[in-house]
Amino acid sequence: MSITLKEKVAIVTGGGRGIGEGIATVFADEGAAVVVANRSSDEGEATVEEIKGAGGEAVFVQTDVRDPASVDELVKATLDAYGKLDILCHNAGIYPDMLIEDMPVEVWNDTLNTNLTSAFLLTKACVAPMKEKRFGRIIITSSITGPSVAMATLVAYAASKGGVNAFVKGAALEFACYGITVNCVCPGNILIPSVIKLYGQEAVDEMKEIIPTGALGETADIAYAMVYLASDQAKFITGQAITVDGGQILPENPDAFTKLT
């Protein structure tokens, strides 16, 4: 049996750009009907048009993942449109680049609410229709930053992603008996426009030097890892964090792999 998402219904949050757009389009390519959830309507609707233009099925629902009422409306809209919900892919997130001493508490709170509390809100809202069918796939975008490595100016982001990995383990235990799996994917450096905008092209080029495969990842690299976790074939995988980083976290020191080339 081939790996496919045919006849599955998937919510993808943050689906309007970057990794989320890549996930949404790949899920649609693999046969899923995709509900693109995004704060920006222009970006979200553009992803839907891209999917439909390629022959896929998608709808857009404007969503603020920090707001319980908005999350509940997202799930309701999904059920109204397709009658079921098989997959939640929670990708929406922010990463303020700021030193601790310069960070307002509002920025800290907004980062945790957007990246971590939202995982709780979305999981809570999605579980009921999944339990009813005794099938569900919950996949959250985490990061290598926090669970595996650190950056001095991304402490709020790292804390939120470390929390995501811990949340996944507990949620996986709660829902395993209902046929619902809960996992996360931890991307390394992925080449998306926001990364270039934040750090600049020169810094992005330097990032390649610390990645053993010699290149930043593409959004599809994350999406296809999620396709597998969302598939029927991944029924025995739950509570896990899958790292997709080109080997970035493997070297003991920066020279550990460059000496081989």
Side-chain angles (χ1 to χ4, degrees):
M1 180 184 294
S2 62
I3 294 174
T4 178
L5 302 183
K6 190 175 181 180
E7 299 182 356
K8 297 289 194 294
V9 174
I11 289 173
V12 178
T13 70
R17 60 179 174 174
I19 293 175
E21 179 187 2
I23 295 167
T25 55
V26 168
F27 272 31
D29 287 344
E30 296 301 320
V34 179
V35 179
V36 177
N38 206 70
R39 266 195 282 184
S40 164
S41 58
D42 289 344
E43 292 175 338
E45 288 170 351
T47 300
V48 168
E49 289 306 309
E50 180 182 359
I51 290 171
K52 288 184 174 180
E57 170 60 32
V59 297
F60 169 68
V61 179
Q62 190 167 22
T63 307
D64 183 345
V65 297
R66 303 167 299 179
D67 178 15
S70 183
V71 168
D72 288 343
E73 181 56 36
L74 167 64
V75 175
K76 181 180 183 300
T78 301
L79 297 175
D80 287 347
Y82 297 111
K84 65 172 185 171
L85 171 59
D86 301 296
I87 303 160
L88 165 65
C89 178
H90 177 32
N91 172 78
I94 58 174
Y95 45 97
D97 193 340
M98 194 177 300
L99 292 168
I100 292 173
E101 60 189 317
D102 297 330
M103 185 181 298
V105 68
E106 292 81 8
V107 172
W108 172 270
N109 288 338
D110 191 41
T111 305
L112 265 65
N113 285 336
T114 303
N115 297 356
L116 178 57
T117 302
S118 59
F120 157 72
L121 295 175
L122 283 153
T123 299
K124 182 178 180 180
C126 290
V127 158
M130 291 180 176
K131 285 173 69 173
E132 184 177 348
K133 290 177 59 63
R134 301 192 73 82
F135 177 91
R137 300 285 186 264
I138 297 172
I139 313 160
I140 304 173
T141 302
S142 184
S143 177
I144 61 171
T145 304
S148 300
V149 296
M151 288 184 64
T153 58
L154 290 177
V155 173
Y157 176 80
S160 71
K161 295 304 185 179
V164 163
N165 287 37
F167 174 82
V168 160
K169 291 179 183 294
L173 285 176
E174 283 197 29
F175 306 130
C177 62
Y178 299 105
I180 301 169
T181 64
V182 188
N183 295 288
C184 62
V185 171
C186 300
N189 288 310
I190 306 300
L191 189 58
I192 54 176
S194 61
V195 169
I196 298 174
K197 183 178 179 181
L198 183 62
Y199 297 112
Q201 186 62 53
E202 183 177 348
V204 169
D205 290 339
E206 290 175 356
M207 289 178 188
K208 299 176 184 178
E209 301 300 320
I210 63 171
I211 301 173
T213 58
L216 275 69
E218 301 174 356
T219 58
D221 296 321
I222 307 305
Y224 280 110
M226 292 188 168
V227 165
Y228 175 63
L229 291 174
S231 71
D232 292 341
Q233 287 85 347
K235 63 183 175 60
F236 206 51
I237 301 174
T238 195
Q240 302 304 308
I242 309 298
T243 298
V244 183
D245 72 342
Q248 183 175 337
I249 65 173
L250 295 177
E252 184 174 341
N253 63 69
D255 294 327
F257 72 90
T258 57
K259 290 179 179 178
L260 301 176
T261 60

